Amino acid sequence: MNEVLVAEDVRREYGDTVAVDGVSLSLAEGEVFALVGPNGAGKTTVVEILECLRTPTSGSATVVGFDVEREPHAVKERIGVLPQSFHTFDRLTVRENVVLARQLYDEGFAVETVLDRLDLDGYADTRFGALSGGWQQRTGLAMALVSDPDLLFLDEPTTGLDPAARRRTWTQIDRLADAGT
């Protein structure tokens, strides 16, 4: 299997504070990986480096074959991101929010395909602000997937969901991995 993510001895310092100290990891194509640790351990900093939102103080990282420091635009074109505290435009419908996300990319899935795949077609014309937390999370997932990313970053995607919605979300994640994301 191809490695889609490689981090080698990544370190991030903020003045005298070391937020990340020598993290190394690799992720193979089709693999679902969880980064687990206590609050303040540097998990978010590592992920933000891999998403090209922060730069490492030292070390190196590549995402889908592109260097996160030298080729951030190429990385960002090939990843999807659902942050932990996702929120979008309340007054836009689900479809309008997904269309907005789709317009940021040159290539990707048709909006209706993503809505159907995530069972959002029945809520497509509902304003985001009127949705339950679970349907809002699913809308965020649709927005992260509409670009047909090679790699998807999900920051605690089931936080605040009821047990049934949590199971459905994990089923969707397994399907994405099986389909090559």
Side-chain angles (χ1 to χ4, degrees):
M1 286 205 159
N2 294 329
E3 289 183 318
V4 293
L5 184 151
V6 177
E8 295 178 355
D9 202 27
V10 172
R11 182 178 177 91
R12 176 62 187 179
E13 300 170 357
Y14 298 97
D16 293 336
T17 303
V18 177
V20 175
D21 190 11
V23 170
S24 296
L25 57 94
S26 65
L27 180 63
E29 187 176 285
E31 187 174 1
V32 176
F33 175 82
L35 188 58
V36 180
N39 292 339
K43 301 179 301 293
T44 298
T45 301
V46 169
V47 171
E48 288 177 349
I49 288 169
L50 297 172
E51 295 170 346
C52 303
L53 299 175
R54 298 191 187 280
T55 56
T57 303
S58 62
S60 64
T62 59
V63 174
V64 294
F66 297 97
D67 185 278
V68 296
E69 288 187 89
R70 291 191 311 267
E71 302 166 292
H73 182 73
V75 170
K76 290 177 183 180
E77 279 286 318
R78 289 162 180 83
I79 64 172
V81 177
L82 176 59
Q84 179 180 0
S85 55
F86 166 76
H87 202 76
T88 191
F89 297 99
D90 280 344
R91 293 185 179 186
L92 294 182
T93 66
V94 169
R95 179 182 287 109
E96 290 167 339
N97 274 295
V98 177
V99 165
L100 184 64
R102 175 64 184 88
Q103 291 174 341
L104 298 173
Y105 297 91
D106 294 332
E107 297 179 19
F109 291 120
V111 169
E112 297 305 319
T113 299
V114 174
L115 294 175
D116 179 59
R117 185 176 292 172
L118 295 175
D119 298 322
L120 279 164
D121 35 6
Y123 293 90
D125 297 318
T126 304
R127 290 180 191 246
F128 180 81
L131 298 172
S132 69
W135 290 108
Q136 286 184 352
Q137 280 291 96
R138 198 172 293 201
T139 300
L141 185 56
M143 292 174 74
L145 286 173
V146 75
S147 67
D148 188 16
D150 296 319
L151 183 62
L152 184 61
F153 289 91
L154 304 172
D155 191 353
E156 301 191 30
T158 60
T159 298
L161 299 182
D162 64 75
R166 190 172 288 147
R167 281 191 297 279
R168 284 191 304 271
T169 300
W170 285 115
T171 298
Q172 292 293 337
I173 291 168
D174 286 339
R175 285 183 194 160
L176 291 169
D178 292 343
T181 300

